[in-house]
Amino acid sequence: MVKVNLSGCNSFIKKAEFDEYVSKALKAYDVLDSESGAGNDFLGWKALPDGTPESLLQEFEAVRDDWRSRGVNLVVVIGIGGSYLGARCALEALNHQFILPEGRPRIVFAGNNLSEEYLAEMMDLAARSNVACIVISKSGTTTEPAVAFRIVKEHIEARYGKEEASARIVAVTDAVKGALKTLATQEGYRSFIVPDNVGGRFSVLTPVGLLPICVAGYDIRAMLRGAADAKAAVSVRSADNPAVQYAAMRNLLYSGLGKKVEILVTFNPRLTYLAEWWKQLFGESEGKECKGIYPASATFTTDLHSLGQFIQDGDRCLFETTLKVEKSGRSVVIGSDPQNLDQLNYLAGQHVEHCNAMAALGTKLAHIDGGVPQLEVSIEAVNERTLGEVFYFFEAACGISAYLLGVNPFNQPGVEAYKKNMFALLRKPGYEAATEEILKKI
Ligand code: PA5
């Protein structure tokens, strides 16, 4: 189960201050628990771990098995923001980091940027693969995935014909509205619904995340079980509730000590994308009304050789939360060398992970000395179950933390601003006035 260790903050705060923030966090917990706060029509994520029907999981497996029988070896997952980060984070965490999966399709992501080179090179791969596509957009109108989908759809139809294409494309979108829903109905694609009451960044345990994870060959039931365990652990009105503790400490550091940036640190590169998912979760939930902790991330020890100087010695606006993995999934022991020219024999017989753990401890102590409070969130290992735990843990902690901060965790008014300008510049019909306005500015 997810554990939170706040001892690395002890030298920065007084116990009484923390207790005060725990009381505030418990009030925020009550708001989330009683579903009485702002955005309470977006709490559908709370029911997902134990409320997802078995029949839905079987439908995902039917897609997986159907594509296997068609020899599909490449699945393009199209989506952006909350419609791709959860699946990407899970697959980066679970996949072998170097060897392509045997007997499982390779999953690539598109529609999460507007780079022509990215799309062209992804299509180079599609052209030499047996390809299928999952297109995910809750609104069904987002430009980036719509552009990518138009190109992938054209390719699949030209290669396999319209009828076969409709078996190779699956849509995940709103139950009734949006262009993608209309298209899916018209073309006869299999479709899955993004529930109305689940926002993008809380959607990893809906078809948005579970379908790609299932198609990639992973155990989505274990993921849901892990999420259910975490739900049980964080659904307790107690000062010891790990989500309450995490929310209380980060708000104390922010409001009490002026620590405006939280760096989510991992010492395991397979969790780099978990930090990307976490950044969206906390950034979009809390960054509003001129408030919020800026969510940043770093992968150590890699980034100690680039960001380490700043973290140790730069502006003291930072605190760190280390996502610790207690047990390595693999074993690599450092050998002894009779010449010892690299002078590493003092490590002979040690596991590489022991060096990693000592690097982590050394970094923690150095950063405390440098004035950077240290929080720790740990999981036992990296697998489907612990990912489910971590997803639900952070979602609940985020809801509590944002209510404590005094903002609505579940809206994202700020993400529309760039779209208006982009549409005006692209001369989208209906944006004529905005085009005139923006042309005066440039
Ligand atoms: O959290 C959010 O709402 C956003 O990040 C969306 O997930 C993202 O913009 C994609 O939206 P959609 O799924 O409607 O295409």
Side-chain angles (χ1 to χ4, degrees):
M1 182 42 56
V2 175
K3 284 187 231 142
V4 169
N5 175 0
L6 303 176
S7 62
C9 297
N10 287 349
S11 54
F12 298 91
I13 53 133
K14 295 193 176 68
K15 170 130 185 6
E17 291 169 331
F18 181 59
D19 290 346
E20 189 195 321
Y21 272 82
V22 168
S23 300
K24 291 183 187 184
L26 284 169
K27 285 196 186 118
Y29 170 92
D30 290 338
V31 174
L32 185 65
D33 186 52
S34 60
E35 311 199 348
S36 57
N40 61 4
D41 43 348
F42 280 95
L43 292 174
W45 55 273
K46 287 169 66 181
L48 298 169
D50 31 29
T52 300
E54 171 62 24
S55 56
L56 184 60
L57 307 183
Q58 286 172 8
E59 283 184 59
F60 300 152
E61 286 164 345
V63 174
R64 178 196 66 197
D65 296 344
D66 176 46
W67 285 353
R68 267 187 199 158
S69 72
R70 289 169 202 272
V72 168
N73 61 9
L74 179 75
V75 178
V76 181
V77 176
I78 296 178
I80 193 166
S83 289
Y84 103 105
L85 281 164
R88 177 126 195 207
C89 135
L91 298 186
E92 298 271 340
L94 297 170
N95 281 343
H96 193 286
Q97 293 170 88
F98 300 97
I99 301 174
L100 285 177
E102 229 172 87
R104 297 170 172 200
R106 176 173 177 183
I107 311 284
V108 294
F109 292 87
N112 56 66
N113 62 64
L114 282 170
S115 160
E116 190 158 351
E117 289 180 3
Y118 183 96
L119 207 46
E121 291 179 16
M122 198 277 293
M123 293 311 295
D124 290 343
L125 175 67
R128 61 177 75 177
S129 310
N130 185 338
V131 61
C133 168
I134 300 173
V135 53
I136 307 169
S137 177
K138 187 181 182 203
S139 63
T141 56
T142 309
T143 309
E144 291 91 336
V147 167
F149 183 53
R150 188 178 272 218
I151 288 154
V152 173
K153 175 177 181 281
E154 197 178 277
H155 170 87
I156 293 180
E157 285 178 355
R159 240 173 107 183
Y160 304 103
K162 269 240 175 230
E163 201 184 321
E164 174 71 8
S166 69
R168 286 172 178 259
I169 295 171
V170 172
V172 181
T173 189
D174 187 85
V176 284
K177 59 179 194 300
L180 181 57
K181 176 66 198 167
T182 312
L183 188 69
T185 310
Q186 186 188 298
E187 304 286 330
Y189 301 152
R190 277 171 287 192
S191 302
F192 294 94
I193 293 167
V194 191
D196 261 353
N197 59 356
V198 182
R201 58 191 174 276
F202 288 83
S203 68
V204 59
L205 299 175
T206 72
V208 170
L210 293 182
L211 175 64
I213 296 166
C214 175
V215 164
Y218 293 106
D219 184 351
I220 48 177
R221 288 182 186 77
M223 190 168 278
L224 287 169
R225 278 198 299 276
D229 288 346
K231 181 176 172 178
V234 300
S235 302
V236 184
R237 194 187 191 286
S238 155
D240 296 329
N241 176 330
V244 166
Q245 293 224 324
Y246 176 59
M249 184 57 85
R250 60 198 299 282
N251 275 280
L252 166 56
L253 295 173
Y254 172 69
S255 301
L257 270 73
K259 302 288 182 188
K260 294 193 183 307
V261 178
E262 177 176 9
I263 308 177
L264 191 75
V265 167
T266 171
F267 282 77
N268 188 333
R270 68 183 343 132
L271 296 181
T272 297
Y273 253 89
L274 182 51
E276 296 304 315
W277 171 84
W278 172 90
K279 284 196 277 195
Q280 188 202 6
L281 181 67
F282 278 86
E284 254 182 27
S285 299
E286 293 194 321
K288 46 197 74 152
E289 299 170 33
C290 300
K291 296 191 232 180
I293 300 166
Y294 183 81
S297 65
T299 302
F300 290 167
T301 60
T302 314
D303 293 335
L304 287 171
H305 296 257
S306 53
L307 296 172
Q309 170 62 34
F310 191 108
I311 297 170
Q312 187 67 44
D313 218 13
D315 190 316
R316 300 300 69 197
C317 58
L318 312 170
F319 65 96
E320 286 176 308
T321 298
T322 299
L323 188 54
K324 185 174 167 191
V325 181
E326 280 164 7
K327 198 163 160 268
S328 170
R330 297 294 295 268
S331 164
V332 178
V333 175
I334 300 168
S336 173
D337 183 322
Q339 287 204 73
N340 196 27
L341 291 177
D342 55 10
Q343 298 183 355
L344 274 186
N345 272 354
Y346 76 102
L347 291 177
Q350 299 281 8
H351 283 266
V352 173
E353 202 53 38
H354 172 71
C355 304
N356 206 20
M358 293 307 103
L361 184 55
T363 304
K364 177 178 172 177
L365 297 172
H367 287 181
I368 289 173
D369 287 344
V372 182
Q374 299 290 307
L375 291 74
E376 217 168 70
V377 172
S378 13
I379 52 174
E380 283 156 24
V382 180
N383 55 44
E384 291 94 326
R385 189 168 186 124
T386 57
L387 283 175
E389 288 175 14
V390 125
F391 286 144
Y392 196 90
F393 165 77
F394 276 130
E395 287 173 352
C398 181
I400 297 169
S401 183
Y403 279 139
L404 200 172
L405 185 66
V407 297
N408 175 353
F410 304 112
N411 65 1
Q412 54 284 329
V415 294
E416 294 308 313
Y418 95 93
K419 292 184 192 168
K420 185 179 157 215
N421 289 345
M422 177 178 71
F423 292 146
L425 290 164
L426 288 170
R427 308 274 210 280
K428 184 173 176 171
Y431 282 78
E432 292 76 8
T435 305
E436 262 183 51
E437 207 182 297
I438 204 167
L439 287 179
K440 285 184 209 149
K441 291 189 196 164
I442 51 177

